[in-house]
Amino acid sequence: MGAGNQRRKRARQVSPAKKAILFWIAVGGAGFVLVPWYALQDSIASIGWLKDYTGKDNAPALLQALKHGRVWLLPIIGFFIAAAALLQLPISRLARANGLLVVGAAGFVFFLAQGFAIGAQGWSFELLTTMFGPLATGQYGMGWGAALCGSAFAMLFALGLAERGYFNGDAFIAASVVGIAVSVAVFTFYPVIRILLSAIQDQGGALAAQAFFARMFTEKIWGVGCLAGAGRCGVAWNTLVLALLCAAGCTSLGLAFALIVSRTGFRYKRLLRALSVLPIITPPFVIGLGLILIFGRSGLVNQFLEWAFGIAPSRWIYGLQGVLTAQIFSFTPIAFLVLIGVVEGVSPSMEEAAQTLRANRWRTFVDVSLPLMRPGLVNAFLISFIESIADFGNPIVLGGNFGVLSTEVFFSVVGAQLDQGRAATLGILLLLFALAAFFAQRRLLGRKVYTALAGKGDSGLPTPLPDRIRRLCYAVALPWAALTVIIYAMALIGGFVEQWGRDYTPTFKHYVKAFSIELTSDGIIWAGAAWNSFWTTVKLSAIAAPVTALMGILTAYILTRHRFVGRSAFEFGTMLSFAIPGTVIGVSYILAFNVPPIEITGTALVLILCNVFRNMPVGVRAGIAAMSQIDKSLDEASTTLGARGLTTLRRVLLPLLKPALVAALVYSFVRAMTTVSAIIFLVSAEYEWATTYIINRVVNGDYGVALAYCSVLILLMLAVIWLIQRLVGTRRLGRREVAIEPGMAQLGGTAA
Amino acid sequence: MKAASIEFRKVSKLYGEIAAVKDVSFTIGEGSLVTLLGPSGCGKTTTLRMIAGLELPTSGTIAIGGSDVTRVPASERDVSMVFQSYALFPHMTVLDNVSYGLTVARLPKAQVAERAHAALATVGLTGFDTRLPSELSGGQQQRVAVARALVLEPGVLLFDEPLSNLDARLRRQMREEIRDLQQRLSLTVVYVTHDQSEAMAVSDRIIVMNKATIAQEGAPRDLYEQPSDVFVAGFMGDANRVRGMLTRIDDRLGELAIGPLKVRLAHRGLANGAVDVSIRPEAIEFRNGNDADAALAGTVRKAAYIGGSMEYTVDTAIGQLFIVSMAVDRPLAVGASVSLALANHGVVPIASA
């Protein structure tokens, strides 16, 4: 029998969809009958909950409904029974598909509705209490049982879509789209909606528009006192001025570096390129610390001035100038990565054409090259702008009295103020700034962002720079590069001296304090103060990275290879979290996930989820860039040979996407390790993050340990990048070796 | 292997407002090679992709082997396709590429190897198992693509402009191989091309498409000699398009007057009166000047020697005419006065558009 016949037969067999439907009904049923419905105190892996399996905290939904009076859970199983009935009834495929859509959607809506309507104290809304009378018992945050049921409803809905013929009837694609959409909705949109709601609620929780306006339009945010020479300016103006200056600075420096690397005979190009990777693996406040060591009150410069000229040390570095300097150091490499692609992409033949038309080098540069680079310049400017307003590490280390939105949001929540409404309001303002820049970027550049970096000029040699431009580039860029090296060197050395500014005796004591290990008869004791946060960070980042990378690549595959209704909304949703500053995410997670139905603050889960959904757009971008280089006919060939979506992805695309996958993996890991802005809101005593530990040391003036820790992190991440590259290797496509470098350039992204 | 028939009934494919394929119906019999021919953007590739299931129609039904597959996804259809770019998986060896469909169908390993080798033998690539696609020439890649599609013994085999990436000499050889293979294995083959001579060389039947609809369908010879409209006449080889007056003589023949020229030919059911006329370049003959009364006077505007023949552009009272002449020994000079007459083939009256 031929494979063709087999294929024909396969089409007539019990449809694979039927099996999948049964599977998800079983999952939902198990989630309802067997698995604890509510969130457990401890991890599900610890078996403590088994001892009190039928108790009101640990019981599965069925027992909760029958034994503990939580009867509102009972209808949930009804939806699964209805789905099972659909399979048994002698009805057409279309009718069954419609039935599944209804059951899945209705089940999911009911599932959410009961979660939101009934909280720990019974009904969550006054209206419901007056309508139905008070409830005898409330409920806690959802747990694994609930998660299984919710997923099952979403998947039954997806299978219904596939059965109806959406997504070319491919159940895997339908399930992926629904799964990603639901999780992005829950972990990106829902928190943002919560922050919007919080901003327009007064302290009591009632909706009050005037509360929002009262918080929004205050002197502290919009004041212009500094212009009159008296008082301070509002944080909104501070943020905008800082961002504009930073974007201008980063773009000019980035362009200078890009021109040197691509258009001159400069000998140490490789070194410049290497410098550009540094900030990606650097915790976001290392530059700030380095600047303090050099320009701070007890920094080298002040000490020299005092020693030589008797000038009293100043706190000059703290404020706008300090933050701006640190940010330009931090984000110039990202601007460089954006610009180098564009500068190299300018076709040499255009410049040669200009020269054959009698233009000299200067005219060629001004009339042809520079205008062709304009999209890159705009892009670099906007990306630096977004980076600057989202930046948290540098302002918190160097800001002093110069407040910006991201730090003000933080102090509103953690400081003495504890004003969530104010934090939400400031967060919304920050979000608006970021979104404005994000949309401006997309508007101005369209989809070119993805492909602009792929272009390698065609034949011909890039025209050397005109002399005056070249000299200007050198004069600006080289001192800057030297200073970068010095700052990193200081940060490294700072961990090895007794106390910077007072006592430069070499010592290992900071490393010992942070990372000492004691070998005893009982085995290894991780005695150092930093080990707890270190292992938490490494472990949770290692869990988050593969999830991020796979979700990102899967999303990229769906976006580039499938056309369906709502595709652009899907794309917007998955890319949105890229534009949301970390502090906004942090606040919104606290607001959204501190109360049932999803009560996960203080757990490791929330840290993982926060990293996954913040970094996913990076994976998506890497995936889209790589996918756009793979001819679509490869997928189609695979499809016509009988492979479904999952098989095609696994056997054809993933092997070809290996470099992109590695890049996404490395970046999600590194970004998770170095993140501060969002995570600082979500850490707890039990789960501390490396970066937040370091910031606490800095705040206490304990620079030695902080710098030692930073150095360890940088080295660790260099090692990880090297290791992953070695393990996954390069892909072999005949004579050509394709290294993973090209993917790197795509991934500037918002760090912070 | 069981070749399957294909039937399109009133199939349309819309992209938003734009129709890529509009209300198309045709039947392709088992074991025949049918070409979809037309200019780019005419809907031929969309039609092919709808047979494969890579696009689903907006309306209408598609049947393969007698059963309705309109909503069946590509992976479940008994159809294989050879892509314009070949779409060989670059990370797999030749053997892995050819085995791919068999392993997706989860056949036993021994059977996979045996059939993959048989398919490679069919296309004359025995011994190339461990090569990567990038290590093959264009023609060899083409053969791997064919073997990969053949190995599933599909009811229908599709070719999407399979020769467009090959050089001219290889193109002729490959098209002969494809035709040979199709007849040897009596496959149902649908073949997309925009090259009229390629279509005529390989096809049992040709479906000419234009602006999302079928312009004409028939055997290659019928399309060339009896085009149903001006578009088909122009697309199936070069044609001069002029106006003429038709007068019926009996129920088959008519007399066609084009300027001073008169010719007897089949009137093809056209009514008396003004018609469009398609004249093949080789259907215009040069006459000696003294044969004046039945001839059309003209002046040679351009003359080009292209090896086997001469190509002339001649200004006449009925317009500029493109003429191909086999008389390469006695070329006419630019500016020469000539008189022209029509041969009794290659002139076809067409209903005025």
Side-chain angles (χ1 to χ4, degrees), chain A residues 589-666:
Chain A
Y589 265 48
I590 289 185
L591 294 174
F593 300 129
N594 209 15
V595 287
I598 308 177
E599 195 179 353
I600 51 173
T601 49
T603 65
L605 186 63
V606 77
L607 297 175
I608 295 173
L609 288 170
C610 177
N611 276 313
V612 167
F613 287 95
R614 277 206 73 209
N615 296 333
M616 199 177 100
V618 180
V620 176
R621 288 208 336 192
I624 287 178
M627 207 78 81
S628 60
Q629 312 216 340
I630 298 175
D631 190 4
K632 206 178 167 185
S633 65
L634 288 185
D635 312 31
E636 291 176 345
S638 174
T639 308
T640 59
L641 292 169
R644 292 156 184 277
L646 181 59
T647 313
T648 302
L649 188 61
R650 190 171 56 79
R651 291 191 51 185
V652 177
L653 292 173
L654 278 186
L656 294 170
L657 284 174
K658 230 162 140 195
L661 196 62
V662 176
L665 206 58
V666 169

Side-chain angles (χ1 to χ4, degrees), chain B residues 166-239:
Chain B
L166 302 176
D167 61 49
R169 208 164 46 89
L170 205 51
R171 218 175 285 170
R172 178 189 302 271
Q173 185 193 336
M174 283 309 298
R175 85 179 182 211
E176 280 161 10
E177 282 183 24
I178 289 171
R179 177 60 163 168
D180 182 49
L181 200 66
Q182 181 263 334
Q183 296 198 317
R184 197 150 37 94
L185 305 176
S186 35
L187 300 167
T188 306
V189 168
V190 184
Y191 188 108
V192 159
T193 181
H194 60 262
D195 182 335
Q196 160 269 142
S197 59
E198 188 180 318
M200 292 180 73
V202 297
S203 313
D204 292 315
R205 289 160 65 73
I206 296 176
I207 297 174
V208 182
M209 293 188 70
N210 184 34
K211 293 182 184 158
T213 55
I214 293 181
Q216 194 179 355
E217 184 189 341
R221 195 177 187 97
D222 294 344
L223 292 181
Y224 190 83
E225 294 178 357
Q226 304 290 323
S228 65
D229 63 17
V230 191
F231 169 80
V232 176
F235 199 78
M236 298 298 295
D238 292 313

